[in-house]
Amino acid sequence: MPQKAKMRLLYKVLALVAGSLLFLYGVSALIFINIKPRVREELKLLIKDASGKLYDIDFKDINANLLTGNATLTDVTLNADTNTYKRLITSKEAPNNLYQIKLKKLTIKQFHPFRLFFKKEIQIGLLRFDYANISMNNKAFEFNEKKPSRSEISPYHYIKSICKSFHVDKIEFKNAFFEYVNKNGLKPETDTIANLNITLTDWLIDSLSAKDESRTFLLKDIQIYLNNYSYATPDSLYYIKLSQLDFSVTSKKVNIKNLEVQPRYSEAAFAHKVGVAQDRYLLNLNNIDLTDIDILAYIRRREIIAEQMNIADGTLSVFNDNSYPKNKEPKSGRFPHQLLQRLNIPLSIHKINVNNLDITYAEYDKVTKQRGRVEFKNTSGEFSNVTNQDKFKKLNPFTTAKLTSYLMGQGKLQVHFRFNIISPDGDFNYKGNLGVMDARQLNYVTKPLAMVQVNRCQIKGLDFDIDVKKDVAKGKIDFRFNDLSLKILKKQEEGEGLTGMGILSLLANAIVISPDNPSENGRHVIAPINYQRKPSASFFNFLWKTIFQGVKYSAGFTPQKEADIKRQIAQFKQMKEDRDLRRFKREQRKKLEK
């Protein structure tokens, strides 16, 4: 066949194929135009029946291509029928969660109406909700508490008159805005999350799916992904941020990357903003895992119940500017375990594992105008029975913590906390020990905050066992050390530095301070503790001030000797003033003699 004839034949074939496709497209479009009202009504009826008459769907328009099986719905709304909801409450059949969904466009892919019309089956490849606005109202009803996790009435009951099965391979919510409204208190509380992505996999309604133990809410899996979340706390002092959150129902696991509690103001601006000496927190945790989560408890009652949490690699910095007036507001009831009990979200985690956290507590002193700090490096350990729920507190009324850290990055510190979570006064106990370290590392905290410098001292060990009841710490401290020498400091008369008080330092080292404990003659001082927390003192402040009282006592700074030192200081001041006065009088006489 000549080349030109072949080309003409090819053109005819292409034209025939194109014409056929156009014809089929035109026919399908014409068919869809004719059946469009029926599709609209069938879809509304399907949602109404599948939800047990609880929800209505509406949309502005629907466009479809029957050849590709794709369709789009615009201006879609899903609303609850309030009359049906009230009736379900009366009959004790209402769900704990009520939803409202609004979105500009719903995309449906790989859906063929003919399969519904001829086979009574609905098969959809993808449902995608773009920029959905989802509101979930939670009201926990008592009649739902003892209900089984799976409904006694299968969803198939509501669709069997329309189709034999309803199957969607994947449902996606892209860049969704989620609003959670908690209606279980005296007034509703609302939390919101933006930029949320949710993927629901293999949703199936048929005669058997409701009994499939491998499915949750008829789904094989639910995956949630949140990126770059930021929340401003109601007091306008902090941002809570996270870079990434992943959750999967099948794995029962949540992973959070880079969680931050970030102050909105610098250290100086924060103190100026609050106007009083108040702790400022800066928290950064690189990796958090929650495992074996009870997803049904959260959906039904907003309870966070998990077997284990793992926290790894992070920092916690606490700073207090004491140049501002003391916060006179009592801080009773604000120990960590008490704050947990006041948390609005019901929480219970069997074990929390902590690994490689660096913790710093710092204060700016108004007298020395210097900043003191104490550091706990590479903190690791575990918390057990972390809960604020009565049903778990009845089984075990104590939250415990076993922690290992390195004081100032050197001395190994082991602490065991036992918090009484049912005590109205927040009683707790803590005991532990500090290993060998060079005490001069403590100058970072003693010089600015106590105006005492450690010239030399080798810590051999420090054991403590302290009970706290009604804000009073009682117990004992066994502080063992060798070759202790101190310098007592005072503020320079000019400038902002500190200078040594030579004579008093000599007296203190010679008369007051015990250079060794146990001493050379075998005398071993175990310091008694009886320390009353100041009403405005924070948890961290209370802990270190209690320990510091025992350390001072062990070194010889008993209350009686401290009073002696104060009298000595007053005498030296008076002697200096008298000497300065005599010098002044001599100079005046010399001037008169001239």
Side-chain angles (χ1 to χ4, degrees), residues 48 51-56 79-95 98 158:
K48 189 75 172 178
S51 65
K53 311 297 183 183
L54 182 56
Y55 289 101
D56 293 306
N79 292 307
D81 186 314
T82 54
N83 291 326
T84 301
Y85 183 61
K86 291 176 181 178
R87 177 178 56 79
L88 291 173
I89 293 175
T90 302
S91 63
K92 297 185 178 181
E93 298 174 299
L98 203 61
Y158 300 107

Side-chain angles (χ1 to χ4, degrees), residues 275-343:
V276 293
Q278 177 174 313
D279 287 344
R280 172 187 180 271
Y281 297 91
L282 175 60
L283 175 68
N284 189 313
L285 302 175
N286 292 333
N287 194 48
I288 301 173
D289 286 328
L290 270 168
T291 60
D292 291 328
I293 298 171
D294 188 338
I295 184 63
L296 293 177
Y298 183 79
I299 292 174
R300 284 181 172 180
R301 301 175 296 274
R302 206 195 179 195
E303 294 179 354
I304 298 177
I305 300 176
E307 179 65 23
Q308 186 166 284
M309 174 185 279
N310 300 306
I311 302 173
D313 304 323
T315 59
L316 170 62
S317 298
V318 184
F319 175 74
N320 195 307
D321 190 340
N322 284 323
S323 64
Y324 284 81
K326 292 289 185 182
N327 189 349
K328 295 182 179 180
E329 179 184 351
K331 289 188 177 179
S332 297
R334 296 189 184 180
F335 292 152
H337 57 303
Q338 292 176 303
L339 293 175
L340 175 64
Q341 305 313 306
R342 291 160 55 182
L343 193 67

Side-chain angles (χ1 to χ4, degrees), residues 104-316:
K104 282 293 181 182
K105 185 173 72 172
L106 167 63
T107 301
I108 304 171
K109 291 189 175 183
Q110 301 172 21
F111 166 62
H112 299 279
F114 297 110
R115 190 164 182 169
L116 171 61
F117 297 147
F118 298 112
K119 294 186 176 182
K120 292 293 182 179
E121 295 176 349
I122 297 177
Q123 174 66 44
I124 298 173
L126 173 68
L127 288 177
R128 188 175 69 225
F129 299 78
D130 288 310
Y131 298 98
N133 191 315
I134 307 167
S135 178
M136 183 174 85
N137 290 263
N138 178 268
K139 175 68 176 177
F141 296 105
E142 290 186 8
F143 53 75
N144 283 331
E145 292 301 308
K146 296 182 180 181
K147 285 185 177 180
S149 59
R150 299 177 184 275
S151 173
E152 297 177 359
I153 302 177
S154 169
Y156 178 68
H157 170 77
Y158 300 107
I159 69 164
K160 62 183 181 181
S161 62
I162 300 173
C163 59
K164 294 186 293 183
S165 66
F166 189 152
H167 184 225
V168 183
D169 290 333
K170 185 180 290 187
I171 303 172
E172 294 180 344
F173 291 86
K174 294 293 186 181
N175 298 307
F177 176 85
F178 182 78
E179 178 185 58
Y180 182 96
V181 183
N182 184 357
K183 293 188 174 181
N184 296 297
L186 297 177
K187 60 180 181 178
E189 296 179 356
T190 302
D191 293 327
T192 60
I193 298 176
N195 301 321
L196 186 65
N197 294 285
I198 305 173
T199 300
L200 312 177
T201 304
D202 194 1
W203 186 42
L204 176 64
I205 302 177
D206 64 10
S207 59
L208 301 175
S209 61
K211 298 180 180 179
D212 188 345
E213 296 290 337
S214 68
R215 294 181 180 273
T216 302
F217 302 116
L218 307 174
L219 294 155
K220 279 292 186 181
D221 197 11
I222 301 172
Q223 294 175 304
I224 298 175
Y225 178 80
L226 180 61
N227 190 36
N228 295 326
Y229 171 72
S230 180
Y231 168 73
T233 58
D235 59 11
S236 300
L237 295 178
Y238 295 93
Y239 289 114
I240 297 176
K241 298 181 178 181
L242 58 88
S243 63
Q244 181 179 314
L245 180 146
D246 291 292
F247 168 69
S248 170
V249 165
T250 54
S251 67
K252 297 182 179 180
K253 182 177 179 180
V254 171
N255 178 254
I256 298 173
K257 300 291 186 184
N258 298 326
L259 173 66
E260 293 182 75
V261 176
Q262 186 181 86
R264 299 179 67 176
Y265 305 95
S266 67
E267 289 181 349
F270 184 93
H272 180 74
K273 174 72 176 177
V274 298
V276 293
Q278 177 174 313
D279 287 344
R280 172 187 180 271
Y281 297 91
L282 175 60
L283 175 68
N284 189 313
L285 302 175
N286 292 333
N287 194 48
I288 301 173
D289 286 328
L290 270 168
T291 60
D292 291 328
I293 298 171
D294 188 338
I295 184 63
L296 293 177
Y298 183 79
I299 292 174
R300 284 181 172 180
R301 301 175 296 274
R302 206 195 179 195
E303 294 179 354
I304 298 177
I305 300 176
E307 179 65 23
Q308 186 166 284
M309 174 185 279
N310 300 306
I311 302 173
D313 304 323
T315 59
L316 170 62

Side-chain angles (χ1 to χ4, degrees), residues 10-26:
L10 178 60
Y11 291 150
K12 288 180 180 180
V13 172
L14 291 174
L16 180 62
V17 171
S20 299
L21 290 173
L22 288 172
F23 175 75
L24 289 174
Y25 179 81

Side-chain angles (χ1 to χ4, degrees), residues 57 62 95 97 143 276 296 332 334 342 352-353 376 461 533-534:
I57 190 172
I62 179 171
N97 296 311
F143 53 75
V276 293
L296 293 177
S332 297
R334 296 189 184 180
R342 291 160 55 182
I352 299 178
N353 297 312
F376 302 92
R533 185 185 72 86
K534 294 181 179 179

